[in-house]
């Protein structure tokens, strides 16, 4: 605005600067060879690995099949793995010194820890999905409740629609309470501060240690036994809120702390008030991180069984009123189904677990798409929007400057 | 001559006016004024924001303190009856006044310790693998998978434990008890001390529950440790390589000391979750109310499983006893969490490894 007129008064002084002292290195005439692959394995390493695998399998089969009275699949794996480590160390030691042997062996140990963990975790998830698959094939599983389905009925009758609706209502109420409260509390911790904020932070940290069943027990004895005298979806939502609130506060607190201080200072330097800074600088910058924090908290809250176990009650019919009567949710429905000895009911349990898993997976995928980038790190579309906005700003400022120049030019000419 | 400039920003008119006030020169007869306060008077939107934020913080604290106070008050009536005996009594029958959490607390801690024995080596190895060995796409992919696994509901792990692990781990349990039975923990004996080999003696044990809980907490631990390891400064890594260290040498010299806070913090956080885990434990164990040192043998218990088991038919007083049990569990996890937080805060690394 007024700065644009000021710049025109200043003469260009930069041209009188002496020529640059730094010399740019000349790349002409230097031959650039092919890029070296520093981390690739040597050929004899690969042969050593393959040889160790083959030798270990052979020894284990020999031990288990003919020589020793060992049996069992797990024992076989353990023996084969120990043999593999030994043989591999021996093979590497023929070409390398002790330190390198330790390095190679430890790399293999780390890799096997990763493989064991990854296999086990993926197996756990796949087990629920695969055993739940037969139930998912029936469309009625998603659109019916269990009101008319007896324990001996096949999978083509009844479903978990009531549990899906219950889960959505409960998590919806819990989010309606915990998102505003949680994010404003995190803002309080970060932007307002002071002694009370430190106290709040300590209490919130302490409450992340609250076992979820104790949160359920609290709602059961403080709300259900004293006020409502019946289990309801609202009580379950309150229990989930008590459990989720500290998680959301802490996660948003971390995200808000990542907002660069220079952005805030720039806003204050332009004369913005604290509220303006929070609303127009801090929150937009941290938006994707906050969304991620909330979604991950939601994923935790959706899967939580124990607070719901004490507060929501078990039912087999659809109930859309959170304040009246029991309202079951998906994890509790899984828990309730698999206590039955009937194979069809157990299959429904696995189906409900698969639905729950898919729900969590979907939430996680959404969180990845929205989040996964740091504060202030814009997507191409956001960058285009920001560029367009700043172009509009420049136009507006130029127009204002031109108007002012035209207005001030006329009175200047009169004295002459 | 002093110049005081007042810039009034009048946005509603769309026009910016600049007014310059030239201060009067001359000796001022007025006495020296009080120094002007440097803190500005907050604008109205600011004071509203402050009070709303303050109220939200207050509400959060009020909810949290209400939980704590309510638990302590209600637990008080049960604790007054038993006093210190609450911590050493094994039976749980509040109706007769004989109840205590020695057995359930022992079971809780056993399960958590077994879980840590399984999960910490796996988490350490995997986090080092991800941060130091893997590169490129595979690294990103495994970070995502581990983070995703941390969000898998505990009831899914419970299902797996009940329907798959329960049957398939029995040979392992039997193998351990046969060959390592001379260690008291791993023996499985009946009352007379005779070793049992029957499959039914190995089901629903603390060991199985511990393995399931271990898988449940290991993603959280892995992701905390990985973050701590990945923050080890590149300069020190390169210095170690430049001195001729192998990769494992670099890890022991730079990454592990740097990430110690992350390792301890992650372990403690996992321990806290393992202590509080309800559903998976409840589905797997067969509850008993006596201290069972033989971790491979049927029967164990945990505080949260006790609450889930007994809350329904509980009278007013029995509920208060359950509250007392929950309070003790809460205090234990609280101590663990704060210890972890202080360890992480004091070490050089892991400042950003909060969950």
């Amino acid at each position: 605005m007024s700065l644009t007129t000021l710049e025109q008064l200043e003469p260009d002084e930069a041209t009188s600067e002496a020529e640059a002292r730094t010399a740019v290195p000349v790349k002409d005439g230097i031959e650039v060879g092919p890029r070296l692959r520093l981390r690739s394995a040597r050929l004899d390493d690969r042969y050593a690995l393959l040889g160790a695998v083959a030798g270990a399998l052979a020894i284990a089969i020999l031990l288990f099949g003919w020589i020793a009275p060992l049996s069992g699949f797990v024992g076989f794996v353990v023996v084969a793995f120990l043999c593999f480590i030994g043989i591999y160390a021996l093979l590497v030691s023929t070409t390398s010194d002790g330190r390198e042997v330790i390095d190679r062996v430890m790399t293999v140990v780390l890799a096997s820890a990763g493989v064991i963990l990854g296999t086990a975790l993926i197996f756990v998830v796949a087990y629920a999905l695969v055993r739940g698959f037969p139930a998912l094939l029936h469309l009625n599983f998603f659109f019916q409740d269990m009101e008319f389905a007896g324990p001996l009925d096949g999978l083509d009758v009844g479903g978990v629609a009531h549990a899906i609706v219950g889960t959505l209502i409960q998590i919806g109420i819990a989010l309606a309470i915990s998102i505003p409260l949680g994010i404003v509390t995190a803002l309080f911790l970060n932007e307002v501060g002071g002694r009370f904020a430190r106290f709040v932070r300590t209490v919130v940290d302490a409450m992340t240690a609250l076992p979820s069943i104790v949160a359920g027990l609290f709602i059961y004895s403080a709300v259900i036994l004293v006020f409502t005298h019946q289990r309801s979806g609202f009580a379950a939502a309150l229990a989930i809120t008590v459990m989720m609130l500290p998680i959301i506060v802490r996660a948003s607190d971390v995200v808000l702390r990542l907002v660069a201080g220079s952005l805030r200072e720039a806003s204050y330097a332009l004369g913005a008030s604290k509220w303006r800074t929070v609303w127009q600088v801090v929150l937009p910058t941290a938006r994707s991180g906050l969304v991620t924090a909330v979604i991950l908290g939601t994923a935790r809250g959706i899967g939580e069984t124990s607070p719901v176990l004490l507060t929501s009650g078990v039912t087999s019919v659809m109930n859309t009123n959170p304040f009246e009567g029991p309202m079951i949710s998906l994890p509790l429905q899984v828990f309730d189904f698999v206590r039955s000895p009937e194979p069809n009911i157990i299959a429904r349990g696995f189906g409900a677990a698969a639905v729950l898993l898919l729900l969590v997976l979907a939430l996680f995928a959404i969180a990845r798409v929205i989040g996964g980038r740091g504060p202030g790190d814009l997507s191409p579309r956001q960058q285009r929007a920001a560029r367009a906005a700043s172009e509009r700003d420049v136009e507006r400022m130029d127009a204002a400057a031109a108007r002012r120049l035209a207005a001030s030019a006329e009175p200047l000419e009169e004295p002459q | 001559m002093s110049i005081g400039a007042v810039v009034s920003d009048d946005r509603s008119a769309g026009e910016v006016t600049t007014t310059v006030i030239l201060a009067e020169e001359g000796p001022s007869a007025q006495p020296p004024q009080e120094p002007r306060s440097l803190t500005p008077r907050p604008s109205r939107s600011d004071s509203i924001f402050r009070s709303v934020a303050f109220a939200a913080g207050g509400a959060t604290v009020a909810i949290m303190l209400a939980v704590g106070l309510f638990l302590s008050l209600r637990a008080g009536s049960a604790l007054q009856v038993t006093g210190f005996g609450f911590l050493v009594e094994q039976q749980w029958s509040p109706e007769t006044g004989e109840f205590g959490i020695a057995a359930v607390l022992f079971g809780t801690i056993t399960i958590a310790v077994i879980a840590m024995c399984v999960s910490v080596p796996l988490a350490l190895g995997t986090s080092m693998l991800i941060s130091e060995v893997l590169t490129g796409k595979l690294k990103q992919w495994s970070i995502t998978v581990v983070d995703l696994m941390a969000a898998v509901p505990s009831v899914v792990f419970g299902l797996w434990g009940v329907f798959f692990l329960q049957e398939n781990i029995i040979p392992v349990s039997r193998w351990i008890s046969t060959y390592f039975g001379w260690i008291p923990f791993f023996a499985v004996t009946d009352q007379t001390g005779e070793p049992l080999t029957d499959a039914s003696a190995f089901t629903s044990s603390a060991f199985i529950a511990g393995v399931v809980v271990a898988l449940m907490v290991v993603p959280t631990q892995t992701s905390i440790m990985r973050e701590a390891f990945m923050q080890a400064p590149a300069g020190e890594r390169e210095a170690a390589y430049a001195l001729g260290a192998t990769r494992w040498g670099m890890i022991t010299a730079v990454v592990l000391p740097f990430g110690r806070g992350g390792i301890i913090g992650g372990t403690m956080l996992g321990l806290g979750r393992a202590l509080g885990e309800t559903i998976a434990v409840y589905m797997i164990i067969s509850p008993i109310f006596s201290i069972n040192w033989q971790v491979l043998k049927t029967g164990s218990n945990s505080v949260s499983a006790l609450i889930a088991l007994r809350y329904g038919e509980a009278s007013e007083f029995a509920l208060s006893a359950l509250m007392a049990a929950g309070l003790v569990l809460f205090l234990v996890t609280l101590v663990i969490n704060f210890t972890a937080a202080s360890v992480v805060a004091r070490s050089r690394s892991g400042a950003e490894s909060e969950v």
Side-chain angles (χ1 to χ4, degrees):
Chain A
M1 292 161 279
S2 61
L3 281 178
T4 48
T5 52
L6 205 73
E7 271 174 13
Q8 289 168 354
L9 300 175
E10 300 267 315
D12 271 346
E13 287 178 5
T15 48
S16 60
E17 195 77 40
E19 73 267 10
R21 275 182 218 155
T22 35
V24 180
V26 185
K27 281 185 180 173
D28 296 337
I30 299 174
E31 201 170 310
V32 180
R35 200 181 167 84
L36 286 177
R37 289 187 58 195
L38 295 173
R39 283 286 166 84
S40 73
R42 295 199 308 258
L43 201 61
D44 60 334
D45 284 352
R46 294 181 189 181
Y47 283 135
L49 210 57
L50 285 179
V53 168
L57 279 179
I59 290 181
I61 289 173
L62 202 63
L63 277 179
F64 275 71
W66 284 281
I67 300 176
L70 300 172
S71 66
F73 179 70
V74 177
F76 178 81
V77 172
V78 169
V79 169
F81 181 69
L82 292 180
C83 291
F84 166 68
I85 297 285
I87 298 175
Y88 184 65
L90 193 72
L91 286 178
V92 175
S93 69
T94 55
T95 55
S96 324
D97 59 348
R99 283 190 316 147
E100 199 170 342
V101 173
I102 295 176
D103 178 48
R104 293 290 157 77
V105 169
M106 283 318 292
T107 306
V108 169
V109 169
L110 294 187
S112 36
V115 168
I116 292 171
L117 181 58
T119 322
L121 289 177
I122 289 173
F123 180 56
V124 169
V125 172
Y127 186 76
L129 286 179
V130 168
R131 280 199 62 173
F133 193 66
L136 298 187
L137 285 180
H138 297 80
L139 262 187
N140 57 310
F141 191 69
F142 299 97
F143 297 108
Q144 290 183 4
D145 58 18
M146 291 296 290
E147 191 175 4
F148 303 112
L152 294 176
D153 282 333
L155 289 174
D156 50 349
V157 180
V160 293
H162 57 306
I164 297 177
V165 169
T167 294
L168 294 180
I169 291 178
Q170 288 173 11
I171 201 75
I173 297 175
L175 285 179
I177 303 173
S178 57
I179 289 181
L181 198 55
I183 290 184
V184 178
T185 305
L187 280 178
F188 174 64
L189 297 183
N190 265 289
E191 304 298 323
V192 179
R195 196 182 293 172
F196 183 59
R198 279 199 293 281
F199 174 67
V200 173
R201 185 173 276 144
T202 314
V203 171
V204 169
D205 278 355
M207 275 301 149
T208 49
L210 185 74
S212 53
I213 187 102
V214 179
L217 191 64
F218 166 70
I219 296 294
Y220 177 72
S221 53
V223 175
I224 294 182
L225 291 185
V226 177
F227 296 110
T228 63
H229 300 291
Q230 62 167 339
R231 295 177 193 181
S232 62
F234 184 66
L238 286 184
I240 297 175
T241 308
V242 169
M243 203 212 73
M244 239 167 59
L245 187 58
I247 298 178
I248 289 189
V249 172
R250 272 188 77 170
S252 334
D253 183 32
V254 170
V255 171
L256 289 179
R257 225 184 289 164
L258 288 179
V259 175
S262 53
L263 285 178
R264 286 197 192 95
E265 283 161 13
S267 167
Y268 289 140
L270 287 172
S273 66
K274 189 153 231 158
W275 163 243
R276 280 254 157 232
T277 307
V278 167
W279 186 246
Q280 306 218 301
V281 176
V282 176
L283 283 180
T285 312
R287 183 164 52 198
S288 69
L290 287 177
V291 171
T292 313
V294 166
I295 290 179
L296 292 183
T298 312
R300 279 283 297 278
I302 274 191
E304 208 47 74
T305 320
S306 33
V308 181
L309 174 70
L310 272 63
T311 46
S312 80
V314 175
T315 176
S316 58
V317 295
M318 178 78 84
N319 175 14
T320 50
N321 182 358
F323 298 100
E324 197 72 50
M327 175 197 267
I328 204 165
S329 65
L330 273 173
L332 188 56
Q333 183 70 78
V334 174
F335 181 65
D336 188 51
F337 273 150
V338 299
R339 281 197 289 188
S340 156
E342 291 299 328
N344 272 338
I345 298 284
I346 292 180
R348 286 198 182 93
F350 274 99
V355 172
L356 180 62
L357 260 179
L358 294 178
L359 207 59
V360 171
L361 277 180
L363 280 176
F364 193 83
I366 294 172
R368 276 279 138 178
V369 171
I370 295 176
R373 50 177 91 240
D377 191 5
L378 302 178
S379 69
R381 196 170 142 203
Q382 285 170 318
Q383 279 178 354
R384 275 202 301 280
R387 216 174 296 134
S390 71
E391 270 165 19
R392 278 197 301 277
D393 278 347
V394 168
E395 262 170 41
R396 185 172 54 78
M397 288 173 185
D398 283 349
R403 245 198 339 270
R404 206 164 35 251
L405 209 66
S408 61
E410 285 172 18
L412 271 178
E413 280 178 342
E414 277 192 24
Q416 284 181 345
Chain B
M1 179 172 161
S2 61
I3 297 176
V6 176
V7 180
S8 69
D9 183 1
D10 192 3
R11 292 203 182 170
S12 57
E15 200 50 57
V16 179
T17 53
T18 307
T19 319
V20 177
I21 298 171
L22 303 182
E24 297 271 327
E25 209 188 48
S28 64
Q30 293 161 348
Q33 287 183 335
E34 288 281 308
R36 202 157 53 93
S37 161
L38 290 176
T39 46
R41 194 172 52 83
S43 67
R44 203 172 45 173
S45 62
D46 256 13
S47 49
I48 292 174
F49 167 65
R50 265 172 201 279
S51 43
V52 167
F54 199 84
T60 308
V61 162
I63 293 174
M64 301 300 159
L65 286 186
V67 177
L69 283 180
F70 187 85
L71 273 180
S72 333
L73 286 180
R74 290 293 303 274
S77 64
L79 288 176
Q80 271 172 1
V81 174
T82 56
F84 182 71
F86 187 69
L87 290 179
V88 291
E89 171 67 43
Q90 298 188 16
Q91 285 305 311
W92 188 268
S93 63
E95 292 75 22
T96 61
E98 281 185 13
F99 58 96
I101 53 163
V104 281
L105 199 60
F106 177 81
T108 311
I109 292 173
T110 322
I111 293 174
V113 168
I114 293 170
M116 287 305 107
C117 290
V118 177
S119 70
V120 170
L122 279 179
L124 255 182
T126 310
S127 50
M128 266 188 247
L129 178 79
I130 292 176
S131 80
E132 305 304 320
V133 181
L134 296 185
T135 48
K137 273 261 166 60
L138 195 58
K139 184 173 185 167
Q140 291 307 318
W141 191 78
S142 31
I143 291 176
T144 310
V145 167
V146 167
D147 287 353
L148 171 62
M149 288 301 159
V152 170
S154 57
V155 73
V156 173
F157 286 95
L159 280 185
W160 181 77
V162 170
F163 289 94
F164 178 82
L165 194 70
Q166 187 87 275
E167 301 160 20
N168 290 288
I169 207 172
I170 287 175
V172 183
S173 301
R174 195 187 283 146
W175 188 78
I176 297 177
S177 82
T178 311
Y179 291 99
F180 296 92
W182 45 273
I183 304 174
F185 297 124
F186 295 139
V188 176
T189 57
D190 56 8
Q191 278 93 350
T192 57
E194 283 296 305
L196 292 169
T197 52
D198 201 24
S200 64
F202 294 100
T203 54
S204 308
S205 65
F207 174 63
I208 302 176
V211 171
V212 173
V213 172
L215 279 184
M216 203 177 306
V217 298
V218 86
T220 319
Q221 293 180 328
T222 308
S223 89
I224 291 176
M225 291 183 193
R226 176 199 40 92
E227 275 187 21
F229 291 154
M230 281 169 76
Q231 282 168 7
E236 291 180 24
R237 287 164 190 263
E238 284 162 12
Y241 282 134
L243 290 173
T246 56
R247 178 160 59 199
W248 177 248
M250 189 279 288
I251 290 176
T252 48
V254 177
V255 176
L256 281 182
F258 189 84
R260 193 183 295 136
I263 297 175
I264 297 174
T267 307
M268 294 286 221
L269 205 82
L271 186 60
R273 278 193 69 185
L275 287 171
E277 174 49 39
T278 311
I279 286 300
V281 175
Y282 181 53
M283 285 165 91
I284 288 168
I285 58 166
S286 64
I288 55 166
F289 288 95
S290 61
I291 288 181
N292 178 8
W293 284 97
Q294 303 180 347
V295 294
L296 296 171
K297 193 176 157 187
T298 301
S300 179
N301 217 332
S302 84
V303 174
S304 38
L306 168 78
I307 296 174
L309 196 68
R310 291 294 179 88
Y311 82 100
E313 69 267 23
S315 63
E316 183 91 351
F317 182 71
L319 255 187
S320 142
L322 287 179
M323 294 260 177
L327 184 68
V328 171
L329 179 63
F330 177 38
L331 290 180
V332 171
T333 43
L334 196 63
V335 168
I336 288 174
N337 269 25
F338 273 123
T339 318
S342 70
V343 168
V344 173
R346 237 186 302 150
S347 70
R348 213 176 118 208
S349 73
E352 271 83 47
S353 64
E354 303 168 82
V355 174

